Amino acid sequence: MFIFRNRRTNLVRKIWRESSTDALGLEVKSQLSAVLKRLREPVLEDLLHVLQKRGQYLGTCCPIPNGRLGRHSVTPLLLMCRLWRWEDVEEEEELVRLPVCRGADGQQTECCNPYHWSRLAVPDLFLCSNPSKGLPLCDTSILSRDTVPYDGCYVEINYDDLPGGRGDGGRGDGVRPRVDAVDSVATGGTLSFANSTQGELTWCTLAYWEEQTRVGRLFPVSADNVEIFSKLPRPAPDSQALCLRTIAERDNPRAPDTVVKAREKIGLGVMLNLKGTTLSVYNRSEIPLFVNSPTLDQPNVRTFSVYKILPGYSMQVFDFVTSQNIERIADPRLRDGPYDPNAVRLSFGKGWGGKYSRQIITSCPCWIEVLLVPPR
């Protein structure tokens, strides 16, 4: 019993050291003590490893009773996120659960692992390049009442809300309708995909670019989660992984120094997650991520918008239903050159557009093209 208590006490002390509790008030120290007392020893050990790695290792869930503990005025989740992630977070509504977090039901128990959560990035607050600030030049009244209303920026919807319940086109089998091919304006050509041995379908393809050079082969994605990075982390068990450094050193060994330096800064990179009809991007790196998406742009304008996702933040960047609605009201006369309504572009560390010296994304050192396969 003495050995057990001594081991648990040592774990708690090490976690306290990671939190810089000397600068905390008595109330916060009391709140942290109340949280740690409710965590089992194996959970404490894994939590310590997560905090020491600063997010390189995401760890397992830390389930704890939901709601405030006793007389304390803050929930365990908010407390842990304030101490180790974001000091200014005020409400749990500002947080987004990552797909790796599955150890709590969110009702009776909640996960208080601070690295199982991201900060919500609202597109309107993170717009960094949009030359056009006028109203959308389109008539949204032509949309029927049966379609999801378009609000000029973003529509959030899940497959569960579609006819047939799970986006199965009314069949009731819960399987997404298969799309046999996807076209890329930037890469050219058409790619065909077949079902995997487990019946999974490719929902997107990734193309990695260094300035104007596409590096490596196209990377098909069938898992709901995919991690893109340059520093080798430990990918989640159910995620696909793409290491940019590996393919760049093999296929673009003579890249300019500016590109190599930019690539090294990508670090833990980004995590893409498909949930229903929406695609979310979580920035795990220590540099900002810049995003352009057809469903974040204003319809029927010649300009485009670029959004900035700070480290530790996530944003829903694409929605298939919104994309379909935009295509219904699209005016081809306002499109200059090739246009892909299902392509999202992500640039690591460098923005482009009206407020930057880089007017087009091919001027950015390292960027990803996400070629999405729309459900039919």
Side-chain angles (χ1 to χ4, degrees), residues 1-14 36-37 39-41 44:
M1 181 63 69
F2 176 77
I3 296 177
F4 172 78
R5 288 182 177 178
N6 187 51
R7 175 180 171 82
R8 181 183 179 87
T9 301
N10 287 336
L11 289 173
V12 172
R13 287 177 178 174
K14 291 180 180 179
L36 297 181
K37 285 180 180 179
L39 298 179
R40 296 179 292 107
E41 183 179 319
L44 287 173

Side-chain angles (χ1 to χ4, degrees), residues 19-47:
S19 64
S20 301
T21 52
D22 293 339
L24 302 179
L26 293 178
E27 182 179 358
V28 177
K29 291 182 179 180
S30 176
Q31 293 169 350
L32 181 58
S33 297
V35 172
L36 297 181
K37 285 180 180 179
R38 286 165 172 78
L39 298 179
R40 296 179 292 107
E41 183 179 319
V43 177
L44 287 173
E45 187 173 6
D46 191 72
L47 177 61

Side-chain angles (χ1 to χ4, degrees), residues 35-195:
V35 172
L36 297 181
K37 285 180 180 179
R38 286 165 172 78
L39 298 179
R40 296 179 292 107
E41 183 179 319
V43 177
L44 287 173
E45 187 173 6
D46 191 72
L47 177 61
L48 175 62
H49 188 37
V50 169
L51 299 178
Q52 290 175 337
K53 292 294 183 179
R54 296 293 190 271
Q56 295 185 31
Y57 167 63
L58 296 178
T60 58
C61 288
C62 301
I64 198 169
N66 201 1
R68 295 176 175 83
L69 298 178
R71 58 182 176 81
H72 300 296
S73 60
V74 66
T75 63
L77 172 59
L78 276 179
L79 176 67
M80 301 293 278
C81 289
R82 286 176 182 175
L83 291 178
W84 282 284
R85 301 297 302 277
W86 312 280
E87 295 181 357
D88 59 339
V89 62
E90 296 292 338
E91 303 290 342
E92 290 188 2
E93 287 73 17
E94 302 175 39
L95 303 175
V96 179
R97 188 193 307 273
L98 297 181
V100 298
C101 182
R102 297 179 179 177
D105 56 20
Q107 298 177 355
Q108 296 182 354
T109 61
E110 188 58 276
C111 175
C112 63
N113 182 339
Y115 287 96
H116 277 198
W117 297 83
S118 67
R119 194 89 178 263
L120 177 63
V122 181
D124 288 345
L125 302 179
F126 287 80
L127 179 63
C128 61
S129 179
N130 183 10
S132 175
K133 298 183 180 297
L135 294 176
L137 301 178
C138 63
D139 181 10
T140 58
S141 63
I142 66 176
L143 293 178
S144 68
R145 294 183 180 180
D146 296 333
T147 62
V148 177
Y150 177 71
D151 62 4
C153 181
Y154 187 76
V155 175
E156 180 179 359
I157 190 169
N158 292 325
Y159 270 108
D160 294 338
D161 300 322
L162 299 178
R166 302 174 66 183
D168 50 19
R171 297 190 305 272
D173 54 10
V175 179
R176 296 176 195 156
R178 174 178 174 177
V179 178
D180 293 323
V182 58
D183 296 325
S184 167
V185 173
T187 57
T190 300
L191 297 173
S192 298
F193 305 110
N195 294 342

Side-chain angles (χ1 to χ4, degrees), residues 191 193 202 204-207 217-221 226-227 240-242:
L191 297 173
F193 305 110
T202 298
C204 85
T205 303
L206 303 178
R217 298 179 179 179
L218 297 178
F219 185 81
V221 179
V226 58
E227 298 187 36
Q240 290 183 257
L242 176 63

